[in-house]
Amino acid sequence: MTNAELAIDQPHAAAAARGTHRTIAAWLIFAVVAANAVAIVWLWANGGNLHPRDAGEALTSIGRITGLLAAYLALIQVILLARIPAIERAVGFDRLTVWHRWNGHVCLDLVIAHVIFTVWGYALMDKFTIGKEISTMLGGGVYPGMITATVGTALLLAVVATSLVIVRRRLSYEWWYAVHLLAYAGIALSWFHEIPTGNELVLDTVAADYWRALYVATILVLVVFRLGVPALQLVRHRLRVAEVVDEGPGVVSVRIVGRRLDRLRAEPGQFFLWRFLDRRRIWSAHPFSLSAAPDGKSMRITVKALGDHTAQLRGLRPGTRVLAEGPFGVFTESAQRRREKVLLIAGGIGITPIRSLVERMRGDIAVVYRALSDDDLVLRGELDQLAERTTLTVHYVVGDHRGEGAALLSPAHLLELVPDSADRDVFVCGPPAMTDEITRNLRAAGVPRSHVHLERFALT
């Protein structure tokens, strides 16, 4: 093996080791989460819930455990939203996103089960109709905390409803993000229902103290990582807008400078959550990938106007202060690359992280850039310059996906463009529908699933 081959192979071995570490970290996190769930079930069982005297008590016991587990998963949801760097680096933002989605669905299912079994059980014990039992719970003062519980449940339902794909596509990022903040309010309201009035927790001080510890720990994590760490980065790095460059129709690049940016340890392919601190933009933070390899002195993002916030970035003024959370993501060469040959496939504005990746990648590198028209080929000039200076090969695939364009990037077309695709690591970035289709086509073209690494440009 030549020295050049060794130089390329060593980082690939390190990436494979990091992949193993990510798997181990995922299992360790799962073990901690499962251990707490077991403790919660044990405390519930220890409270006498396994020996109901009648059907009403049996149903309310089921209602209690589903409510306790729902509250626990709601706290886990907050932890997943806290953007803890150590967990994100160990597990990866992609995996955390999947966990967040499924955890939210299970949490909501448990909340609904809790409501159904609790109302049904108390109705049997009180010998009321379901309607009368609901009226008694909400308006009679017999069951304290029910009003806050009802409001909290409604807020959580609103969060889940706005996360449905069919709804989310019609919402701006700003509205989607604002509604998701209601999750915090819903979880806070659950405290006033669960801790002061929960049957087991009123009678069992050990269980009550355990739950208080869970809530306090969650609040501390939230304060440290959602408020403390970003504030520290704002003071330490003093990020500000250096320039805004027009890249084409509806597309701008923003270059951000600051102090000691090398300490951020950002890599090509990663993203930050950017908050621009002026009157029009301070209230929303958006995830944008780096579109150029960071050099320790500045960072660049390239943004397409797809919503209210992104359309306003063209009006950013040099000198505007910037709050950046991150870096996030494992769509990087160090985390994913295991082979000498690499294929990178971008769709539309999904070219941004791929543009930053190819700036530093060495070896046999091929890029396939899919766009509807030539005007949509963002950063084409930079890609062409990189191709002239390095061994990079760029294929531009332009055309509508309907009619004659339906065959573009089909399995046969992919193999026509890059015949040895199956021997390469493949990085894919673009809209979710596009990445899903490309992934299927790559598999049909013989590319192993383990070779494919994705970055989906969508709300999580």
Side-chain angles (χ1 to χ4, degrees):
M1 184 176 289
T2 66
N3 290 336
E5 290 172 326
L6 280 171
I8 292 176
D9 192 56
Q10 288 174 353
H12 302 169
R18 276 187 287 270
T20 302
H21 294 160
R22 288 180 66 194
T23 301
I24 294 173
W27 279 107
L28 287 174
I29 293 171
F30 176 78
V32 172
V33 171
N36 277 287
V38 170
I40 290 168
V41 173
W42 182 84
L43 290 170
W44 167 80
N46 193 54
N49 287 286
L50 293 181
H51 306 287
R53 291 171 295 182
D54 53 38
E57 285 193 1
L59 291 171
T60 55
S61 292
I62 295 173
R64 291 186 188 111
I65 188 58
T66 52
L68 291 170
L69 290 175
Y72 176 57
L73 291 186
L75 296 181
I76 295 298
Q77 198 76 336
V78 172
I79 298 296
L80 292 176
L81 288 169
R83 304 177 192 132
I84 302 173
I87 294 180
E88 199 279 336
R89 284 194 295 267
V91 177
F93 190 83
D94 53 346
R95 191 172 294 177
L96 286 179
T97 298
V98 174
W99 291 359
H100 169 71
R101 184 182 302 114
W102 283 106
N103 185 75
H105 285 301
V106 175
C107 178
L108 181 67
D109 292 342
L110 287 171
V111 168
I112 294 172
H114 168 66
V115 173
I116 292 172
F117 284 110
T118 301
V119 172
W120 188 4
Y122 277 114
L124 289 179
M125 290 191 291
D126 294 338
K127 295 181 171 56
F128 289 166
T129 64
I130 296 295
K132 185 175 180 180
E133 187 64 43
I134 292 174
S135 176
T136 302
M137 285 183 169
L138 294 179
V142 179
Y143 303 101
M146 285 298 177
I147 296 297
T148 57
T150 302
V151 175
T153 300
L155 293 177
L156 292 175
L157 286 170
V159 171
V160 173
T162 57
S163 294
L164 298 175
V165 173
I166 190 170
V167 176
R168 195 172 63 193
R169 287 176 178 172
R170 299 183 180 182
L171 288 176
S172 67
Y173 179 91
E174 290 78 13
W175 274 104
W176 175 87
Y177 183 79
V179 172
H180 264 61
L181 292 179
L182 296 176
Y184 295 122
I187 293 167
L189 289 172
S190 71
W191 163 279
F192 297 102
H193 170 62
E194 178 185 0
I195 303 296
T197 63
N199 190 60
E200 282 77 13
L201 306 188
V202 170
L203 301 175
D204 188 340
T205 56
V206 173
D209 289 341
Y210 177 81
W211 275 98
R212 289 189 183 97
L214 288 179
Y215 272 91
V216 169
T218 302
I219 292 171
L220 287 175
V221 167
L222 192 63
V223 169
V224 170
F225 291 103
R226 290 303 300 269
L227 298 176
V229 172
L232 181 62
Q233 287 200 171
L234 178 65
V235 174
R236 175 183 294 173
H237 299 294
R238 297 187 180 180
L239 298 177
R240 65 187 185 278
V241 174
E243 63 176 345
V244 179
V245 178
D246 195 336
E247 300 285 2
V251 180
V252 296
S253 287
V254 182
R255 188 167 66 88
I256 296 103
V257 298
R259 302 189 308 170
R260 296 178 288 186
L261 298 188
D262 56 307
R263 296 192 179 184
L264 289 171
R265 295 187 295 174
E267 298 182 50
Q270 290 189 305
F271 68 94
F272 288 77
L273 285 165
W274 303 92
R275 188 185 299 271
F276 297 97
L277 306 182
D278 60 16
R279 291 182 180 179
R280 300 179 65 185
R281 305 167 185 86
I282 190 172
W283 301 111
S284 61
H286 285 244
F288 298 125
S289 296
L290 299 174
S291 63
D295 59 6
K297 298 178 182 178
S298 68
M299 297 182 289
R300 189 186 73 174
I301 58 176
T302 301
V303 182
K304 185 173 183 179
L306 298 174
D308 296 341
H309 179 86
T310 50
Q312 294 174 359
L313 293 186
R314 189 183 299 272
L316 275 172
R317 295 182 178 181
T320 300
R321 296 292 297 275
V322 182
L323 177 61
E325 295 180 59
F328 298 116
V330 291
F331 191 70
T332 62
E333 182 176 20
S334 64
Q336 305 291 0
R337 188 177 179 184
R338 294 170 175 81
R339 291 159 192 84
E340 190 274 335
K341 296 181 179 181
V342 179
L343 167 61
L344 303 101
I345 304 175
I349 199 63
I351 192 61
T352 52
I354 285 177
R355 158 62 183 85
S356 67
L357 281 167
V358 298
E359 186 173 344
R360 289 188 182 169
M361 277 187 173
R362 297 296 178 263
D364 187 343
I365 313 298
V367 170
V368 174
Y369 187 2
R370 177 78 170 92
L372 293 178
S373 68
D374 288 331
D375 289 339
D376 294 323
L377 294 172
V378 181
L379 306 176
R380 178 173 186 169
E382 295 183 9
L383 291 171
D384 291 340
Q385 290 177 8
L386 286 170
E388 291 176 1
R389 299 199 310 264
T390 66
T391 57
L392 172 67
T393 301
V394 183
H395 303 278
Y396 298 106
V397 180
V398 178
D400 199 327
H401 60 276
R402 294 166 295 187
E404 295 181 359
L408 296 177
L409 298 192
S410 63
H413 189 213
L414 285 168
L415 291 175
E416 179 184 338
L417 295 172
V418 188
D420 58 352
S421 295
D423 300 326
R424 297 173 178 262
D425 271 314
V426 183
F427 291 73
V428 183
C429 184
M434 176 261 188
T435 56
D436 290 343
E437 181 179 359
I438 293 299
T439 300
R440 290 192 295 268
N441 291 347
L442 287 167
R443 298 286 291 119
V447 178
R449 188 183 303 275
S450 60
H451 289 203
V452 181
H453 318 293
L454 303 178
E455 182 79 32
R456 291 180 172 88
F457 270 31
L459 310 180
T460 59

